[in-house]
Amino acid sequence: MSTHSRLHCLSVIHEQGVMPLFYHKDAALGKQVLKACYDAGGRLLEFTNRGDFAHETFRELNLYARQELPDMVMGVGSVNDAATAALYLQLGASFIVSASLREDVAVVCNRRKVPYLPGCATLSEIGRAEELGCEIVKLFPGSVYGPEFIKAIRGPQPWTSIMPTGGVTTELENLKGWFSAGAVCCGLGSQLIGSNVLVDRDFAGLTTQLKEALATAKSLRQ
């Protein structure tokens, strides 16, 4: 089970404003990614459920984080059914993310008091997700909908918390657009942890880039 409470996880997501996400089958490389993010001040990361035996890689990364990076809140993305969610919860995932709204996943996560961030693309889906206990919904792919979608949703529903993922970059103007529209957090995948990190092993560059993104997110939301 997670070593972080539901309230703590949600608090970290709100406070940090940027959620790095990545997948790689090599756990040794993944540990270096985690350490680089931690050194940047990052305390939040989504491991994407992708590829055979991804859960085994996550298990090794989460054990490493518990021993060496105790404040790191690690969750799992691309979870599309209740059985997979239950598996990752058993491995200590602190939150679960999916590309679409899965009610069976919401029930499992809610029962275990773990945050579930489902992908939603309509007001009806967002409303249903909130009825199922989801505090934050994911907007994916963000590049298709844009910041104006968030602004429009939060007009009639100012209590709704939305995290865009896909099409989000570390550039000031991009982040400014999302946060100005009311995004609570921005998911950063290949724009942050891309081939320069996973292939070229530029972990120092990752630390620098994430540190700058965190500082930008903080300044934009003050």
Side-chain angles (χ1 to χ4, degrees), residues 128-146:
R128 181 56 181 153
E130 291 175 335
E131 290 173 350
L132 291 166
C134 302
E135 294 286 344
I136 302 172
V137 298
K138 171 182 174 178
L139 179 63
F140 178 80
S143 58
V144 173
Y145 298 95

Side-chain angles (χ1 to χ4, degrees), residues 39-163:
D39 288 345
R43 296 297 182 265
L44 177 70
L45 187 136
E46 174 194 317
F47 177 79
T48 306
N49 173 45
R50 191 178 300 158
D52 293 338
F53 310 109
H55 66 286
E56 295 183 2
T57 303
F58 174 77
R59 175 184 180 276
E60 190 168 342
L61 293 180
N62 204 25
L63 285 173
Y64 167 75
R66 289 188 178 191
Q67 295 169 1
E68 305 294 334
L69 318 170
D71 294 328
M72 179 66 82
V73 177
M74 286 191 63
V76 180
S78 295
V79 174
N80 297 313
D81 58 79
T84 303
L87 171 62
Y88 278 107
L89 293 179
Q90 190 64 26
L91 295 175
S94 293
F95 60 90
I96 297 293
V97 184
S98 63
S100 61
L101 173 59
R102 294 289 313 191
E103 297 199 10
D104 56 340
V105 174
V107 171
V108 169
C109 290
N110 209 31
R111 182 182 296 126
R112 295 284 292 273
K113 295 187 178 180
V114 169
Y116 171 47
L117 287 66
C120 297
T122 68
L123 189 56
S124 294
E125 287 181 343
I126 292 172
R128 181 56 181 153
E130 291 175 335
E131 290 173 350
L132 291 166
C134 302
E135 294 286 344
I136 302 172
V137 298
K138 171 182 174 178
L139 179 63
F140 178 80
S143 58
V144 173
Y145 298 95
E148 288 301 312
F149 180 89
I150 297 178
K151 185 177 180 180
I153 293 296
R154 284 176 53 82
Q157 295 193 179
W159 58 82
T160 294
S161 296
I162 301 176
M163 180 185 75

